[in-house]
Amino acid sequence: MVEQLRLEQVETPEFLDTFYTVLSNAIRRNALQYLLTNPRPVLVDRLALELAALEQGVSPEHVTSEQQHDLQMLLTHVHLPALSDAGVVEWDREYGQVTLTPLLDQLSVTDSSLNGLPELSVSARSETSH
């Protein structure tokens, strides 16, 4: 289980630990990337289809129902709970919809030359809404 990300803790080790845990898995990174480029609520089965296509290197039309189902199970049992617990997505289980929270709009990630890890800060884009 990951901790809830809170902007007031952005420069703390706990925030970074949670942030890096969220980003440590390719499925979660790909889900966030998809949601960043498609800011409207998306159905979990559609997200699974898009991520399966990306994982297989094919268009969504060429994803098998088994591949989509497998990704949907991973999303619903592992990755969406982690993303939701961290506060980066809102997951409406009743309607099967996922949407980004404004949290990522408020973070600015920059490269660090000191240790090679990205640095996080709160950006001026905090008024952006989805």
Side-chain angles (χ1 to χ4, degrees), residues 83-123:
L83 292 169
S84 180
D85 287 348
V88 294
V89 301
E90 289 182 15
W91 176 29
D92 185 331
R93 293 174 184 181
E94 183 179 343
Y95 294 104
Q97 289 186 332
V98 180
T99 188
L100 283 177
T101 66
L103 181 71
L104 293 182
D105 286 336
Q106 299 174 13
L107 291 177
S108 176
V109 181
T110 57
D111 290 329
S112 169
S113 59
L114 293 176
N115 56 16
L117 296 175
E119 290 183 3
L120 299 173
S121 62
V122 177
S123 74

Side-chain angles (χ1 to χ4, degrees), residues 10-119:
V10 74
E11 295 181 10
T12 66
E14 294 81 13
F15 187 98
L16 292 174
D17 287 347
T18 298
F19 188 75
Y20 290 132
T21 297
V22 166
L23 296 179
S24 70
N25 182 276
I27 292 173
R28 289 193 294 267
R29 287 190 307 271
N30 291 336
L32 290 174
Q33 183 62 43
Y34 180 82
L35 293 168
L36 282 166
T37 58
N38 299 281
R40 294 182 178 214
V42 63
L43 294 174
V44 174
D45 60 340
R46 179 62 189 198
L47 182 59
L49 177 67
E50 295 292 336
L51 297 181
L54 183 61
E55 189 175 88
Q56 299 298 319
V58 297
S59 66
E61 300 83 37
H62 293 97
V63 171
T64 68
S65 60
E66 182 179 347
Q67 290 167 331
Q68 181 180 5
H69 178 265
D70 290 348
L71 222 329
Q72 187 167 346
M73 290 295 104
L74 282 171
L75 283 170
T76 58
H77 292 287
V78 178
H79 302 298
L80 289 176
L83 292 169
S84 180
D85 287 348
V88 294
V89 301
E90 289 182 15
W91 176 29
D92 185 331
R93 293 174 184 181
E94 183 179 343
Y95 294 104
Q97 289 186 332
V98 180
T99 188
L100 283 177
T101 66
L103 181 71
L104 293 182
D105 286 336
Q106 299 174 13
L107 291 177
S108 176
V109 181
T110 57
D111 290 329
S112 169
S113 59
L114 293 176
N115 56 16
L117 296 175
E119 290 183 3

